[in-house]
Amino acid sequence: MIPVIVYDKNQCNPKKCTAKRMLKFGLAKKVNSIQNIPSGSIILSPFAKQALSPMDIEHARNGLVVVDMTWTNIDNFPRFQNTCRALPYLIASNPINWGRPMKLNSAEAVMASLIILNCKEQANEFIERFNWASEFVRLNGELLNIYAKAKNSTEIVYIQNEYLDRRMKDRSHIH
């Protein structure tokens, strides 16, 4: 079981906040400051230089940290010394950002991370708690399963780029 940790910046509507729901359902634990993030944890960051891969499982056993904040304030994302990883290309299924690439909410980010880390049973706990979660798996399932078979971050980025290149070629054939 991967310890899921929420560092909540308290920026979103509490009624729509997936981080608060993860906490409420016991899917995550909260930390109130950066100093309280367990050493060696993986911090999900859109600014990370490396993509999350199955190879990160050992670090994730120390904790998988999601920073809950709004996308409009993303430029104020805290800078960390810990191991930061970015998620590869995925499409949001949440009601606020449905269909938008890379605009995942906190629960989608954690669920995707757990699938990539091959912790599918733990990821399945989200499907029961978030009504959009099965749609997230429908939209991204094939890609997530391919990411979960990658050896490392470099291979994840390669898979992502190949996928995006194929999508661009498919779109250019339509027009």
Side-chain angles (χ1 to χ4, degrees):
M1 192 72 129
I2 301 297
V4 176
I5 299 158
V6 171
Y7 176 51
D8 191 352
K9 300 288 281 175
N10 293 310
Q11 295 177 351
C12 56
N13 179 337
K15 291 181 181 172
K16 296 179 182 177
C17 182
T18 62
K20 286 182 181 23
R21 287 188 67 195
M22 287 190 301
L23 295 167
K24 176 183 170 187
F25 295 133
L27 298 171
K29 300 242 183 292
K30 184 177 180 177
V31 294
N32 293 318
S33 73
I34 292 172
Q35 292 77 18
N36 294 338
I37 293 173
S39 178
S41 296
I42 296 245
I43 298 171
L44 297 175
S45 167
F47 303 109
K49 303 276 188 261
Q50 283 189 281
L52 182 75
S53 78
M55 194 171 112
D56 291 312
I57 188 70
E58 291 309 315
H59 282 289
R61 290 191 207 291
N62 296 318
L64 177 66
V65 181
V66 64
V67 177
D68 189 68
M69 59 188 301
T70 63
W71 279 103
T72 53
N73 293 329
I74 202 66
D75 290 338
N76 297 323
F77 193 88
R79 302 299 179 239
F80 294 97
Q81 301 301 315
N82 297 49
T83 305
C84 291
R85 295 290 185 264
L87 285 170
Y89 180 87
L90 294 164
I91 298 170
S93 68
N94 66 75
I96 295 168
N97 287 312
W98 193 94
R100 291 186 183 156
M102 307 305 292
K103 292 283 187 174
L104 309 184
N105 64 30
S106 292
E108 286 172 318
V110 170
M111 189 168 74
S113 298
L114 292 169
I115 294 170
I116 291 169
L117 293 166
N118 290 297
C119 299
K120 290 184 173 87
E121 281 183 38
Q122 189 175 354
N124 284 339
E125 294 175 20
F126 287 74
I127 293 173
E128 300 165 11
R129 299 296 185 176
F130 296 93
N131 56 1
W132 46 257
S134 57
E135 175 72 357
F136 182 77
V137 173
R138 187 190 69 76
L139 287 172
N140 298 292
E142 182 182 341
L143 201 49
L144 283 165
N145 287 329
I146 296 168
Y147 290 148
K149 292 177 182 144
K151 291 181 188 79
N152 54 36
S153 177
T154 303
E155 195 169 317
I156 292 274
V157 172
Y158 177 81
I159 292 164
Q160 167 190 272
N161 292 343
E162 286 289 305
Y163 175 80
L164 291 172
D165 285 349
R166 270 196 321 276
R167 284 197 59 189
M168 292 303 284
K169 285 177 187 161
D170 290 348
R171 281 196 180 144
S172 68
H173 288 28
I174 294 171
H175 298 296

